[in-house]
Amino acid sequence: MFATADVPVVHHPAYCADLPDGHRFPMNKFRRVAELALAEGLVPDGRFHRPRPAPAEWVALAHDRAYVDQVFAADVPAPIAREIGFPMTESVALRGRCATGGTVLTGYLALDHGLACNTAGGSHHARWAHGAGFCVFNDVAVAIRVMQADGVIRRALVVDLDVHQGDGTADIFSADPDVFTFSMHSEKNYPVRKVPSSLDVGLADGLEDAVYLEALAEVLPGVLEAARPDIVFYNAGVDPFAGDKLGRLALSREGLRRRDEYVIGLVRQGGIPLAGVLGGGYSADIDELADRHLTLLRAAIAVQSGQAGRPG
């Protein structure tokens, strides 16, 4: 059914936007993820798939056109820019467009190869009206809308395991029965006001590997059955890690690996394409954080090559 056993990897240099010195968002992680992926031999033939910046017509399938035009002009109202948390510069706007184009490309590559991964994406706090929480455009929502508009998919499932609830994705798809949104997150973490997903699983602070993986295994098979998706977009945020600056859960690095291999393995066992996006992760140690984010790509390769283990 699929063209090759490789796992295509999508990257664009513009994923790393210019931010003021001392900004708390670890923007340099995107550059380092790409560098480490190449150094570790995780990129087929050492070549990334490079996306084009998403045009306004794509982005407006999932966002208010007035907001889209403001971002493209780098002229977002100050209150919205504060809610996003980034200065709305041309560099930040281009990053949002490229990351969104990257997730669209990742979706199409997943249809061809069974699996594909973006080295950015997962901006799940951006809702229909505007961005929020370090998220300018909701790349996964745009990708689903583009693929629906092109007629290559009808139904989609978003599996969001970032530590924060996927409120923006839930908002955008709240009236669409063809898109199932599943978010498993820290209940007491950001955002304070959750937007109901198709299914939300809120977790208590400090949850460790065994209980987390058990909770996931209890619900994910039923989610796949209920969603009947043509494609799965997987937000593999690494902020559930115990050492993450903005997380309230306590997964180990091994727990993150087992989580990703379980999700990807279960989806692929059903013959469903999966597009993986990076999601959240926060640390002052960029090397550690980038290495943590590579868990997604390592897990995808392990599943594709038949080398993955299973959660206990």
PDB file of all heavy atoms in Angstrom, residues 157-184:
ATOM      1  N   LEU A 157      -8.413  11.866  12.829  1.00  0.00           N
ATOM      2  CA  LEU A 157      -8.300  11.769  14.282  1.00  0.00           C
ATOM      3  C   LEU A 157      -7.070  12.540  14.720  1.00  0.00           C
ATOM      4  O   LEU A 157      -5.986  12.371  14.148  1.00  0.00           O
ATOM      5  CB  LEU A 157      -8.181  10.303  14.716  1.00  0.00           C
ATOM      6  CG  LEU A 157      -7.727  10.029  16.159  1.00  0.00           C
ATOM      7  CD1 LEU A 157      -8.729  10.585  17.173  1.00  0.00           C
ATOM      8  CD2 LEU A 157      -7.518   8.528  16.368  1.00  0.00           C
ATOM      9  N   VAL A 158      -7.222  13.380  15.734  1.00  0.00           N
ATOM     10  CA  VAL A 158      -6.100  14.062  16.361  1.00  0.00           C
ATOM     11  C   VAL A 158      -5.860  13.414  17.723  1.00  0.00           C
ATOM     12  O   VAL A 158      -6.729  13.457  18.596  1.00  0.00           O
ATOM     13  CB  VAL A 158      -6.360  15.569  16.531  1.00  0.00           C
ATOM     14  CG1 VAL A 158      -5.148  16.244  17.173  1.00  0.00           C
ATOM     15  CG2 VAL A 158      -6.708  16.217  15.198  1.00  0.00           C
ATOM     16  N   VAL A 159      -4.698  12.797  17.883  1.00  0.00           N
ATOM     17  CA  VAL A 159      -4.283  12.240  19.166  1.00  0.00           C
ATOM     18  C   VAL A 159      -3.284  13.214  19.769  1.00  0.00           C
ATOM     19  O   VAL A 159      -2.162  13.347  19.286  1.00  0.00           O
ATOM     20  CB  VAL A 159      -3.652  10.839  19.002  1.00  0.00           C
ATOM     21  CG1 VAL A 159      -3.109  10.334  20.340  1.00  0.00           C
ATOM     22  CG2 VAL A 159      -4.675   9.862  18.437  1.00  0.00           C
ATOM     23  N   ASP A 160      -3.706  13.923  20.809  1.00  0.00           N
ATOM     24  CA  ASP A 160      -2.919  15.009  21.382  1.00  0.00           C
ATOM     25  C   ASP A 160      -2.458  14.608  22.775  1.00  0.00           C
ATOM     26  O   ASP A 160      -3.249  14.592  23.723  1.00  0.00           O
ATOM     27  CB  ASP A 160      -3.776  16.274  21.439  1.00  0.00           C
ATOM     28  CG  ASP A 160      -2.981  17.514  21.809  1.00  0.00           C
ATOM     29  OD1 ASP A 160      -1.899  17.365  22.411  1.00  0.00           O
ATOM     30  OD2 ASP A 160      -3.451  18.625  21.500  1.00  0.00           O
ATOM     31  N   LEU A 161      -1.150  14.285  22.896  1.00  0.00           N
ATOM     32  CA  LEU A 161      -0.595  13.871  24.186  1.00  0.00           C
ATOM     33  C   LEU A 161       0.392  14.899  24.737  1.00  0.00           C
ATOM     34  O   LEU A 161       1.178  14.580  25.637  1.00  0.00           O
ATOM     35  CB  LEU A 161       0.054  12.488  24.065  1.00  0.00           C
ATOM     36  CG  LEU A 161      -0.905  11.366  23.656  1.00  0.00           C
ATOM     37  CD1 LEU A 161      -0.193  10.012  23.706  1.00  0.00           C
ATOM     38  CD2 LEU A 161      -2.154  11.340  24.517  1.00  0.00           C
ATOM     39  N   ASP A 162       0.336  16.118  24.230  1.00  0.00           N
ATOM     40  CA  ASP A 162       1.015  17.234  24.873  1.00  0.00           C
ATOM     41  C   ASP A 162       0.482  17.349  26.304  1.00  0.00           C
ATOM     42  O   ASP A 162      -0.652  16.973  26.587  1.00  0.00           O
ATOM     43  CB  ASP A 162       0.704  18.508  24.090  1.00  0.00           C
ATOM     44  CG  ASP A 162       1.543  19.696  24.494  1.00  0.00           C
ATOM     45  OD1 ASP A 162       1.245  20.322  25.539  1.00  0.00           O
ATOM     46  OD2 ASP A 162       2.482  20.024  23.758  1.00  0.00           O
ATOM     47  N   VAL A 163       1.283  17.897  27.223  1.00  0.00           N
ATOM     48  CA  VAL A 163       0.850  17.996  28.616  1.00  0.00           C
ATOM     49  C   VAL A 163      -0.292  18.997  28.793  1.00  0.00           C
ATOM     50  O   VAL A 163      -1.016  18.950  29.788  1.00  0.00           O
ATOM     51  CB  VAL A 163       2.037  18.341  29.544  1.00  0.00           C
ATOM     52  CG1 VAL A 163       2.328  19.837  29.530  1.00  0.00           C
ATOM     53  CG2 VAL A 163       1.804  17.836  30.960  1.00  0.00           C
ATOM     54  N   HIS A 164      -0.465  19.898  27.817  1.00  0.00           N
ATOM     55  CA  HIS A 164      -1.521  20.903  27.880  1.00  0.00           C
ATOM     56  C   HIS A 164      -2.700  20.490  26.999  1.00  0.00           C
ATOM     57  O   HIS A 164      -2.503  19.895  25.940  1.00  0.00           O
ATOM     58  CB  HIS A 164      -0.991  22.259  27.420  1.00  0.00           C
ATOM     59  CG  HIS A 164       0.231  22.700  28.160  1.00  0.00           C
ATOM     60  ND1 HIS A 164       1.502  22.605  27.624  1.00  0.00           N
ATOM     61  CD2 HIS A 164       0.374  23.200  29.403  1.00  0.00           C
ATOM     62  CE1 HIS A 164       2.383  23.053  28.506  1.00  0.00           C
ATOM     63  NE2 HIS A 164       1.730  23.403  29.596  1.00  0.00           N
ATOM     64  N   GLN A 165      -3.893  20.805  27.420  1.00  0.00           N
ATOM     65  CA  GLN A 165      -5.077  20.418  26.657  1.00  0.00           C
ATOM     66  C   GLN A 165      -5.125  21.125  25.307  1.00  0.00           C
ATOM     67  O   GLN A 165      -4.769  22.294  25.192  1.00  0.00           O
ATOM     68  CB  GLN A 165      -6.353  20.749  27.458  1.00  0.00           C
ATOM     69  CG  GLN A 165      -7.594  20.053  26.934  1.00  0.00           C
ATOM     70  CD  GLN A 165      -8.636  21.006  26.355  1.00  0.00           C
ATOM     71  OE1 GLN A 165      -8.445  22.212  26.322  1.00  0.00           O
ATOM     72  NE2 GLN A 165      -9.733  20.452  25.869  1.00  0.00           N
ATOM     73  N   GLY A 166      -5.580  20.402  24.285  1.00  0.00           N
ATOM     74  CA  GLY A 166      -5.628  20.947  22.927  1.00  0.00           C
ATOM     75  C   GLY A 166      -6.867  21.776  22.681  1.00  0.00           C
ATOM     76  O   GLY A 166      -7.716  21.419  21.853  1.00  0.00           O
ATOM     77  N   ASP A 167      -6.962  22.907  23.371  1.00  0.00           N
ATOM     78  CA  ASP A 167      -8.187  23.711  23.332  1.00  0.00           C
ATOM     79  C   ASP A 167      -8.454  24.319  21.965  1.00  0.00           C
ATOM     80  O   ASP A 167      -9.610  24.378  21.527  1.00  0.00           O
ATOM     81  CB  ASP A 167      -8.137  24.808  24.403  1.00  0.00           C
ATOM     82  CG  ASP A 167      -6.940  25.744  24.257  1.00  0.00           C
ATOM     83  OD1 ASP A 167      -5.848  25.266  23.857  1.00  0.00           O
ATOM     84  OD2 ASP A 167      -7.081  26.939  24.555  1.00  0.00           O
ATOM     85  N   GLY A 168      -7.402  24.759  21.271  1.00  0.00           N
ATOM     86  CA  GLY A 168      -7.610  25.365  19.969  1.00  0.00           C
ATOM     87  C   GLY A 168      -8.113  24.377  18.935  1.00  0.00           C
ATOM     88  O   GLY A 168      -9.007  24.685  18.137  1.00  0.00           O
ATOM     89  N   THR A 169      -7.543  23.184  18.940  1.00  0.00           N
ATOM     90  CA  THR A 169      -7.991  22.144  18.009  1.00  0.00           C
ATOM     91  C   THR A 169      -9.437  21.769  18.288  1.00  0.00           C
ATOM     92  O   THR A 169     -10.251  21.608  17.356  1.00  0.00           O
ATOM     93  CB  THR A 169      -7.086  20.907  18.131  1.00  0.00           C
ATOM     94  OG1 THR A 169      -5.718  21.306  18.099  1.00  0.00           O
ATOM     95  CG2 THR A 169      -7.360  19.922  17.013  1.00  0.00           C
ATOM     96  N   ALA A 170      -9.779  21.637  19.567  1.00  0.00           N
ATOM     97  CA  ALA A 170     -11.168  21.333  19.946  1.00  0.00           C
ATOM     98  C   ALA A 170     -12.107  22.432  19.470  1.00  0.00           C
ATOM     99  O   ALA A 170     -13.221  22.155  18.989  1.00  0.00           O
ATOM    100  CB  ALA A 170     -11.263  21.156  21.453  1.00  0.00           C
ATOM    101  N   ASP A 171     -11.683  23.688  19.591  1.00  0.00           N
ATOM    102  CA  ASP A 171     -12.507  24.820  19.162  1.00  0.00           C
ATOM    103  C   ASP A 171     -12.763  24.769  17.659  1.00  0.00           C
ATOM    104  O   ASP A 171     -13.905  24.909  17.202  1.00  0.00           O
ATOM    105  CB  ASP A 171     -11.803  26.124  19.544  1.00  0.00           C
ATOM    106  CG  ASP A 171     -12.472  27.351  18.960  1.00  0.00           C
ATOM    107  OD1 ASP A 171     -13.575  27.693  19.421  1.00  0.00           O
ATOM    108  OD2 ASP A 171     -11.899  27.968  18.037  1.00  0.00           O
ATOM    109  N   ILE A 172     -11.729  24.543  16.881  1.00  0.00           N
ATOM    110  CA  ILE A 172     -11.864  24.575  15.426  1.00  0.00           C
ATOM    111  C   ILE A 172     -12.769  23.464  14.914  1.00  0.00           C
ATOM    112  O   ILE A 172     -13.563  23.662  13.986  1.00  0.00           O
ATOM    113  CB  ILE A 172     -10.473  24.513  14.776  1.00  0.00           C
ATOM    114  CG1 ILE A 172      -9.701  25.811  15.050  1.00  0.00           C
ATOM    115  CG2 ILE A 172     -10.569  24.256  13.268  1.00  0.00           C
ATOM    116  CD1 ILE A 172      -8.227  25.757  14.700  1.00  0.00           C
ATOM    117  N   PHE A 173     -12.690  22.284  15.533  1.00  0.00           N
ATOM    118  CA  PHE A 173     -13.445  21.136  15.027  1.00  0.00           C
ATOM    119  C   PHE A 173     -14.699  20.822  15.852  1.00  0.00           C
ATOM    120  O   PHE A 173     -15.272  19.741  15.709  1.00  0.00           O
ATOM    121  CB  PHE A 173     -12.535  19.904  14.980  1.00  0.00           C
ATOM    122  CG  PHE A 173     -11.431  20.022  13.974  1.00  0.00           C
ATOM    123  CD1 PHE A 173     -10.096  19.985  14.367  1.00  0.00           C
ATOM    124  CD2 PHE A 173     -11.718  20.172  12.631  1.00  0.00           C
ATOM    125  CE1 PHE A 173      -9.079  20.083  13.445  1.00  0.00           C
ATOM    126  CE2 PHE A 173     -10.699  20.273  11.683  1.00  0.00           C
ATOM    127  CZ  PHE A 173      -9.380  20.232  12.091  1.00  0.00           C
ATOM    128  N   SER A 174     -15.128  21.749  16.683  1.00  0.00           N
ATOM    129  CA  SER A 174     -16.238  21.465  17.599  1.00  0.00           C
ATOM    130  C   SER A 174     -17.529  21.081  16.889  1.00  0.00           C
ATOM    131  O   SER A 174     -18.348  20.335  17.443  1.00  0.00           O
ATOM    132  CB  SER A 174     -16.500  22.687  18.496  1.00  0.00           C
ATOM    133  OG  SER A 174     -16.843  23.815  17.710  1.00  0.00           O
ATOM    134  N   ALA A 175     -17.712  21.551  15.662  1.00  0.00           N
ATOM    135  CA  ALA A 175     -18.955  21.258  14.944  1.00  0.00           C
ATOM    136  C   ALA A 175     -18.743  20.302  13.772  1.00  0.00           C
ATOM    137  O   ALA A 175     -19.625  20.174  12.921  1.00  0.00           O
ATOM    138  CB  ALA A 175     -19.580  22.558  14.436  1.00  0.00           C
ATOM    139  N   ASP A 176     -17.595  19.627  13.731  1.00  0.00           N
ATOM    140  CA  ASP A 176     -17.281  18.745  12.603  1.00  0.00           C
ATOM    141  C   ASP A 176     -17.285  17.289  13.061  1.00  0.00           C
ATOM    142  O   ASP A 176     -16.328  16.827  13.701  1.00  0.00           O
ATOM    143  CB  ASP A 176     -15.914  19.107  12.024  1.00  0.00           C
ATOM    144  CG  ASP A 176     -15.630  18.374  10.716  1.00  0.00           C
ATOM    145  OD1 ASP A 176     -16.314  17.367  10.436  1.00  0.00           O
ATOM    146  OD2 ASP A 176     -14.718  18.795   9.974  1.00  0.00           O
ATOM    147  N   PRO A 177     -18.305  16.522  12.726  1.00  0.00           N
ATOM    148  CA  PRO A 177     -18.368  15.119  13.156  1.00  0.00           C
ATOM    149  C   PRO A 177     -17.338  14.226  12.467  1.00  0.00           C
ATOM    150  O   PRO A 177     -17.127  13.090  12.894  1.00  0.00           O
ATOM    151  CB  PRO A 177     -19.795  14.699  12.773  1.00  0.00           C
ATOM    152  CG  PRO A 177     -20.170  15.604  11.646  1.00  0.00           C
ATOM    153  CD  PRO A 177     -19.493  16.909  11.928  1.00  0.00           C
ATOM    154  N   ASP A 178     -16.685  14.733  11.429  1.00  0.00           N
ATOM    155  CA  ASP A 178     -15.692  13.935  10.713  1.00  0.00           C
ATOM    156  C   ASP A 178     -14.301  14.032  11.320  1.00  0.00           C
ATOM    157  O   ASP A 178     -13.382  13.341  10.870  1.00  0.00           O
ATOM    158  CB  ASP A 178     -15.631  14.352   9.242  1.00  0.00           C
ATOM    159  CG  ASP A 178     -16.843  13.877   8.452  1.00  0.00           C
ATOM    160  OD1 ASP A 178     -17.437  12.850   8.851  1.00  0.00           O
ATOM    161  OD2 ASP A 178     -17.195  14.534   7.461  1.00  0.00           O
ATOM    162  N   VAL A 179     -14.129  14.896  12.312  1.00  0.00           N
ATOM    163  CA  VAL A 179     -12.819  15.044  12.964  1.00  0.00           C
ATOM    164  C   VAL A 179     -12.988  14.753  14.450  1.00  0.00           C
ATOM    165  O   VAL A 179     -13.716  15.447  15.157  1.00  0.00           O
ATOM    166  CB  VAL A 179     -12.223  16.440  12.753  1.00  0.00           C
ATOM    167  CG1 VAL A 179     -10.854  16.535  13.446  1.00  0.00           C
ATOM    168  CG2 VAL A 179     -12.080  16.746  11.263  1.00  0.00           C
ATOM    169  N   PHE A 180     -12.311  13.708  14.913  1.00  0.00           N
ATOM    170  CA  PHE A 180     -12.346  13.311  16.329  1.00  0.00           C
ATOM    171  C   PHE A 180     -11.106  13.891  17.001  1.00  0.00           C
ATOM    172  O   PHE A 180      -9.976  13.642  16.575  1.00  0.00           O
ATOM    173  CB  PHE A 180     -12.339  11.789  16.434  1.00  0.00           C
ATOM    174  CG  PHE A 180     -12.700  11.263  17.798  1.00  0.00           C
ATOM    175  CD1 PHE A 180     -13.910  10.635  18.023  1.00  0.00           C
ATOM    176  CD2 PHE A 180     -11.814  11.375  18.865  1.00  0.00           C
ATOM    177  CE1 PHE A 180     -14.246  10.128  19.267  1.00  0.00           C
ATOM    178  CE2 PHE A 180     -12.140  10.888  20.121  1.00  0.00           C
ATOM    179  CZ  PHE A 180     -13.370  10.254  20.322  1.00  0.00           C
ATOM    180  N   THR A 181     -11.314  14.669  18.052  1.00  0.00           N
ATOM    181  CA  THR A 181     -10.201  15.263  18.789  1.00  0.00           C
ATOM    182  C   THR A 181     -10.085  14.585  20.152  1.00  0.00           C
ATOM    183  O   THR A 181     -11.031  14.566  20.930  1.00  0.00           O
ATOM    184  CB  THR A 181     -10.402  16.777  18.970  1.00  0.00           C
ATOM    185  OG1 THR A 181     -11.668  17.041  19.574  1.00  0.00           O
ATOM    186  CG2 THR A 181     -10.342  17.482  17.626  1.00  0.00           C
ATOM    187  N   PHE A 182      -8.908  14.027  20.424  1.00  0.00           N
ATOM    188  CA  PHE A 182      -8.628  13.340  21.688  1.00  0.00           C
ATOM    189  C   PHE A 182      -7.433  14.001  22.349  1.00  0.00           C
ATOM    190  O   PHE A 182      -6.365  14.114  21.749  1.00  0.00           O
ATOM    191  CB  PHE A 182      -8.346  11.856  21.431  1.00  0.00           C
ATOM    192  CG  PHE A 182      -7.714  11.139  22.596  1.00  0.00           C
ATOM    193  CD1 PHE A 182      -8.294  11.177  23.859  1.00  0.00           C
ATOM    194  CD2 PHE A 182      -6.540  10.421  22.430  1.00  0.00           C
ATOM    195  CE1 PHE A 182      -7.701  10.527  24.938  1.00  0.00           C
ATOM    196  CE2 PHE A 182      -5.953   9.759  23.499  1.00  0.00           C
ATOM    197  CZ  PHE A 182      -6.537   9.816  24.761  1.00  0.00           C
ATOM    198  N   SER A 183      -7.632  14.439  23.580  1.00  0.00           N
ATOM    199  CA  SER A 183      -6.561  15.105  24.324  1.00  0.00           C
ATOM    200  C   SER A 183      -6.417  14.446  25.688  1.00  0.00           C
ATOM    201  O   SER A 183      -7.388  14.349  26.443  1.00  0.00           O
ATOM    202  CB  SER A 183      -6.887  16.595  24.495  1.00  0.00           C
ATOM    203  OG  SER A 183      -5.905  17.248  25.272  1.00  0.00           O
ATOM    204  N   MET A 184      -5.203  13.979  25.997  1.00  0.00           N
ATOM    205  CA  MET A 184      -4.891  13.458  27.332  1.00  0.00           C
ATOM    206  C   MET A 184      -3.789  14.333  27.898  1.00  0.00           C
ATOM    207  O   MET A 184      -2.697  14.418  27.330  1.00  0.00           O
ATOM    208  CB  MET A 184      -4.456  11.991  27.272  1.00  0.00           C
ATOM    209  CG  MET A 184      -4.430  11.329  28.646  1.00  0.00           C
ATOM    210  SD  MET A 184      -4.273   9.518  28.582  1.00  0.00           S
ATOM    211  CE  MET A 184      -2.500   9.350  28.760  1.00  0.00           C
TER     212      MET A 184
END
